[in-house]
Amino acid sequence: MRFHVLTLFPEMIQNGLGTSILGRASKKGLIGIHVVNIRDYTKDRHNKVDDYPYGGGAGMLMQAQPIYDAFCAVRDEKERKTPLRVIYLTPQGAPFHQKMARELAGEEELVFLCGHYEGVDERVLEEIVTDPVSIGDYVLTGGELAAMVMIDAISRMVPGVLSNEESGQYESFYENLLEYPQYTRPEVWRGRRVPDVLLSGDHQKVERWRLAQSVARTKQRRPDLYAGYDLSGRALSYLEQDRLSQIDMIECIRRGQADVLHVSSWGVLLREKNTGIYLISAADQDGAERLLSLTRPEGAVYCCHQEFIPQSIARRFGKENVGACYQAVYTKKTPFPESQQVRIRPLSPDDLETVYAHYHTLASQKELSAALQEGRMFGAYLPTAEEEEILSGFIGTHAEGSMGMLEVFEGFR
């Protein structure tokens, strides 16, 4: 991986990144640090790269031309299949975090633009920058320190940079968890003992202990990180407490058809990916109110699992169109025994007219046609005295996998 750094202080970058782990990785060719002095590209005879801002104000601004020409020198050094990503270090950028470091480590090259003085002419930022990034809510004298922080964090994700491959994976912020506490010799120091489990030699117990410590430490020290930890697993644990009545939410998560928006003692809030429907299970009225505050009500549909939630929706959003839905759950692992009388077989697109005539108030003709084309609808046929079969109703599966679209015709109910 190659890093290009556009800066007014090349020595600062070279000295900061030329030692320790990154220095060794650079010598091995695992990463490349290409430092570009923006001042080399000024057209001013006094090597000026800054000027007073239009409209007045304190300080000086870096000019657009030297920065743009420095970038073009990097961009034009060889042909590329994809455009370069240019990161501008600014307090106004997106917060830098471990997930971003992991994502950026997948790039072959990155360009870092280090600002200085009071900022940079906006026009060159609009021209070349793809990713404005901030390493924190504070102001530095320049972008060099921030660039080095990012390059260090990203480089650790590059294969081979760390001597122990696991070091880059199982440490602080892995999967939104802080790192577990660690110990070395001696076993007792100032009356403090190393936890017995770490001396047991039982690797499974050690791993369980470390995970538990990471979870507890994150929950205590960084509740903001803990809120994003293993959302699906925590949501399933909550919903499994009342599995039968919340099986639709459980299946949505297991099938990867739902985004878990929130899970806590308040309850669970999902959003089904295909339809955008919100699915809510709340512990109490207060929990329902908190979960609903995380939704966008414009044009939204809510699937509620407690009777008090529709009341909250009506009061909060003025939505009063409420329908009751009853779920049936077959819990055995063996297939449902087929009746001696009923024959169940897939419907075909030729059955669209019949299906639509009985179900047009709940689904469009287009939706039903798609379900028939995809083989997601089944008919229940009963024998007649004339040794023929008659369709008595139908059922289907929704796009996210749950069964539905059930209709039993008059006379067979």
Side-chain angles (χ1 to χ4, degrees), residues 104-389:
L104 291 173
E107 300 287 335
E108 293 184 5
E109 296 179 272
L110 291 171
V111 179
F112 289 84
L113 170 58
C114 303
H116 217 72
Y117 309 120
E118 289 302 313
V120 174
D121 190 310
E122 186 70 20
R123 293 169 294 185
V124 72
L125 299 180
E126 294 172 350
E127 186 75 20
I128 70 171
V129 172
T130 60
D131 299 84
V133 179
S134 168
I135 65 165
D137 294 334
Y138 45 84
V139 179
L140 299 171
T141 55
E144 286 76 16
L145 287 173
M148 286 190 283
V149 166
M150 288 190 65
I151 291 171
D152 187 293
I154 294 167
S155 296
R156 294 172 65 83
M157 300 292 108
V158 175
V161 169
L162 299 180
S163 56
N164 181 351
E165 287 287 349
E166 292 187 347
S167 295
Q169 183 178 10
Y170 298 103
E171 58 183 355
S172 293
F173 306 116
Y174 174 64
E175 295 295 342
N176 269 48
L177 290 180
L178 297 179
E179 190 174 21
Y180 47 79
Q182 299 194 72
Y183 304 85
T184 187
R185 295 177 181 175
E187 289 184 20
V188 181
W189 178 79
R190 293 178 63 85
R192 298 173 182 267
R193 294 186 57 83
V194 174
D196 291 338
V197 66
L198 299 180
L199 307 175
S200 68
D202 189 324
H203 297 296
Q204 289 186 345
K205 285 185 178 179
V206 169
E207 289 305 314
R208 287 197 296 269
W209 180 87
R210 286 174 170 172
L211 176 60
Q213 292 293 313
S214 290
V215 170
R217 178 171 284 191
T218 307
K219 194 172 184 178
Q220 178 187 15
R221 299 182 182 180
R222 290 292 302 275
D224 57 318
L225 285 177
Y226 181 76
Y229 162 64
D230 189 20
L231 287 174
S232 295
R234 288 164 52 215
L236 286 172
S237 295
Y238 182 98
L239 297 170
E240 286 283 358
Q241 298 175 49
D242 189 5
R243 181 169 178 264
L244 296 185
S245 66
Q246 299 175 148
I247 192 68
D248 56 331
M249 296 181 72
I250 291 171
E251 286 299 311
C252 274
I253 295 173
R254 285 179 173 167
R255 293 169 181 264
Q257 294 292 340
D259 293 317
V260 182
L261 304 184
H262 184 87
V263 53
S264 68
S265 59
W266 312 341
V268 173
L269 175 64
L270 309 180
R271 192 168 193 184
E272 204 280 315
K273 292 180 179 179
N274 290 320
T275 62
I277 292 174
Y278 291 109
L279 295 93
I280 302 178
S281 178
D284 50 34
Q285 191 84 51
D286 181 61
E289 293 288 346
R290 292 178 182 229
L291 292 174
L292 290 172
S293 70
L294 304 176
T295 69
R296 297 179 180 178
E298 295 80 12
V301 175
Y302 296 87
C303 179
C304 312
H305 289 70
Q306 290 78 32
E307 292 185 4
F308 54 77
I309 300 180
Q311 300 169 14
S312 295
I313 294 174
R315 183 171 58 254
R316 189 182 189 97
F317 303 133
K319 293 178 179 288
E320 297 180 352
N321 185 8
V322 180
C325 176
Y326 296 89
Q327 296 186 150
V329 183
Y330 184 69
T331 59
K332 296 181 180 179
K333 293 183 178 180
T334 55
F336 192 81
E338 190 171 339
S339 165
Q340 294 294 319
Q341 297 293 322
V342 179
R343 294 289 182 266
I344 298 175
R345 61 172 181 264
L347 295 177
S348 73
D350 295 337
D351 296 302
L352 176 60
E353 185 175 336
T354 301
V355 172
Y356 183 65
H358 288 86
Y359 211 71
H360 63 274
T361 59
L362 295 172
S364 69
Q365 194 164 1
K366 182 179 180 181
E367 291 171 316
L368 295 173
S369 178
L372 290 166
Q373 291 281 355
E374 295 166 9
R376 292 192 283 112
M377 298 202 72
F378 299 83
Y381 293 86
L382 286 172
T384 65
E386 292 77 21
E387 297 186 355
E388 295 180 352
E389 290 183 326

Side-chain angles (χ1 to χ4, degrees), residues 5-6 10 69 131 261 287:
V5 185
L6 312 185
D69 287 356
D131 299 84
L261 304 184

Side-chain angles (χ1 to χ4, degrees), residues 14-140:
Q14 290 163 343
N15 293 336
L17 299 178
T19 59
S20 188
I21 292 174
L22 298 195
R24 293 196 298 269
S26 183
K27 289 178 181 177
K28 292 178 181 178
L30 298 170
I31 62 172
I33 310 293
H34 176 212
V35 183
V36 180
N37 190 342
I38 296 172
R39 204 176 293 276
D40 290 344
Y41 293 88
T42 181
K43 295 180 180 178
D44 183 86
R45 60 180 180 174
H46 301 296
N47 283 340
K48 278 187 61 179
V49 293
D50 62 325
D51 210 333
Y52 295 103
Y54 282 117
M60 309 285 277
L61 282 182
M62 290 180 68
Q63 296 171 302
Q65 174 269 315
I67 294 174
Y68 182 71
D69 287 356
F71 165 72
C72 288
V74 172
R75 182 195 64 189
D76 298 338
E77 68 178 7
K78 67 176 183 179
E79 291 187 8
R80 295 176 177 83
K81 294 181 180 179
T82 57
L84 284 167
R85 289 181 70 170
V86 180
I87 297 169
Y88 174 52
L89 291 312
T90 169
Q92 301 179 30
F96 182 59
H97 44 67
Q98 190 71 5
K99 186 176 179 181
M100 185 187 295
R102 193 175 295 115
E103 186 260 321
L104 291 173
E107 300 287 335
E108 293 184 5
E109 296 179 272
L110 291 171
V111 179
F112 289 84
L113 170 58
C114 303
H116 217 72
Y117 309 120
E118 289 302 313
V120 174
D121 190 310
E122 186 70 20
R123 293 169 294 185
V124 72
L125 299 180
E126 294 172 350
E127 186 75 20
I128 70 171
V129 172
T130 60
D131 299 84
V133 179
S134 168
I135 65 165
D137 294 334
Y138 45 84
V139 179
L140 299 171

